């Protein structure tokens, strides 16, 4: 599962720490997958501020939260108020966005998808994007600190306490958001 695709969450990091983490993995493109590319608590990660900081670093910023974001406007993507990542993964817009990541990986482009959640097991980066990539034999590598990343499989094992995502009948469990939105 050779991959040049990474994920990163900004959390409460300083912009300097965030940039050092990107540098430590030679990231050339940052793909912002936040549905709303702004942070009330960490304005250094607002779209324009982040884009400026990355430009100075030589990293290209791409916004794809409209197709790969974790909070869809489409009510059909929700089950009992929670975001149902299986339903999201079937959407044409999501599939087109995912295809762009797959092509980047085929071209050996080093890119990181970014969201606000610093713990990958709590974010749609792993529950949705990472799971869909693993089905295509691409393991998203989740940056957790400078020079340290964990694989998609390790993140799912953390999330499921080592039980994987299969239910008793050998079917894949549906991964959903931890919060209720509707």
């Amino acid at each position: 599962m050779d991959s040049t695709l990474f994920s990163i969450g900004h959390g409460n990091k300083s912009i300097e720490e965030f940039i050092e983490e990107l540098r430590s993995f030679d990231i050339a493109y940052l793909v912002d997958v936040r549905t709303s590319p702004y942070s009330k608590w960490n304005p250094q990660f607002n779209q324009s501020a982040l884009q400026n900081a990355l430009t100075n670093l030589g990293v290209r910023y791409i916004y794809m939260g409209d197709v790969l974001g974790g909070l869809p406007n489409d009510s059909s993507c929700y089950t009992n108020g929670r975001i149902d990542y299986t339903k999201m993964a079937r959407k044409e817009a999501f599939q087109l966005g995912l295809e762009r990541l797959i092509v980047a990986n085929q071209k050996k482009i080093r890119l990181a998808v970014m969201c606000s959640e610093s713990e990958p097991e709590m974010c749609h980066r792993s529950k949705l994007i990472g799971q869909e990539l693993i089905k295509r034999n691409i393991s998203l590598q989740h940056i957790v600190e400078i020079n340290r990343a964990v694989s998609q499989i390790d993140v799912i094992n953390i999330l499921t306490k080592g039980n994987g995502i299969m239910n008793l009948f050998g079917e894949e469990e549906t991964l959903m958001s931890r919060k209720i939105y509707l």
Side-chain angles (χ1 to χ4, degrees):
M1 280 195 221
D2 193 26
S3 176
T4 59
L5 304 182
F6 295 81
S7 100
I8 189 168
H10 68 70
N12 291 321
K13 299 171 189 170
S14 69
I15 191 71
E16 293 79 15
E17 181 182 2
F18 182 80
I19 285 172
E20 282 305 310
E21 288 178 356
L22 293 175
R23 270 194 187 140
S24 74
F25 289 93
D26 298 319
I27 300 301
Y29 291 82
L30 185 81
V31 178
D32 190 341
V33 295
R34 297 175 294 172
T35 302
S36 179
Y38 304 97
S39 174
K40 180 168 61 170
W41 307 111
N42 295 289
Q44 69 272 25
F45 293 104
N46 286 347
Q47 188 175 37
S48 60
L50 178 60
Q51 195 167 6
N52 288 337
L54 293 172
T55 298
N56 294 336
L57 177 63
V59 175
R60 295 225 17 224
Y61 172 91
I62 300 167
Y63 176 73
M64 290 182 64
D66 54 343
V67 293
L68 296 176
L71 293 171
N73 289 328
D74 183 346
S75 62
S76 71
C77 292
Y78 293 77
T79 300
N80 298 324
R82 296 186 194 281
I83 302 160
D84 186 325
Y85 298 126
T86 301
K87 290 178 180 178
M88 281 185 67
R90 293 182 187 132
K91 298 294 179 179
E92 182 180 5
F94 176 83
Q95 287 297 318
L96 291 172
L98 191 71
E99 185 60 31
R100 289 180 65 188
L101 299 181
I102 293 166
V103 169
N105 187 65
Q106 289 168 345
K107 292 181 177 184
K108 304 293 184 208
I109 295 170
R110 295 183 71 82
L111 72 76
V113 294
M114 182 207 82
C115 200
S116 59
E117 178 59 60
S118 58
E119 297 177 44
E121 67 273 14
M122 304 303 276
C123 186
H124 83 287
R125 296 186 323 267
S126 63
K127 294 177 184 178
L128 173 61
I129 297 169
Q131 282 304 102
E132 290 303 308
L133 288 170
I134 208 112
K135 290 175 183 176
R136 289 153 179 87
N137 212 30
I138 300 169
S139 181
L140 193 60
Q141 300 297 308
H142 302 276
I143 300 170
V144 292
E145 59 186 51
I146 296 169
N147 292 318
R148 184 169 166 260
V150 294
S151 73
Q152 174 66 19
I153 291 168
D154 288 341
V155 168
I156 292 301
N157 282 331
I158 291 167
L159 178 67
T160 64
K161 298 176 177 53
N163 293 320
I165 59 168
M166 295 295 174
N167 66 21
L168 293 174
F169 304 104
E171 299 164 337
E172 187 174 310
E173 288 283 346
T174 297
L175 294 173
M176 294 206 223
S177 64
R178 60 182 186 212
K179 295 179 185 175
I180 295 175
Y181 293 95
L182 291 179

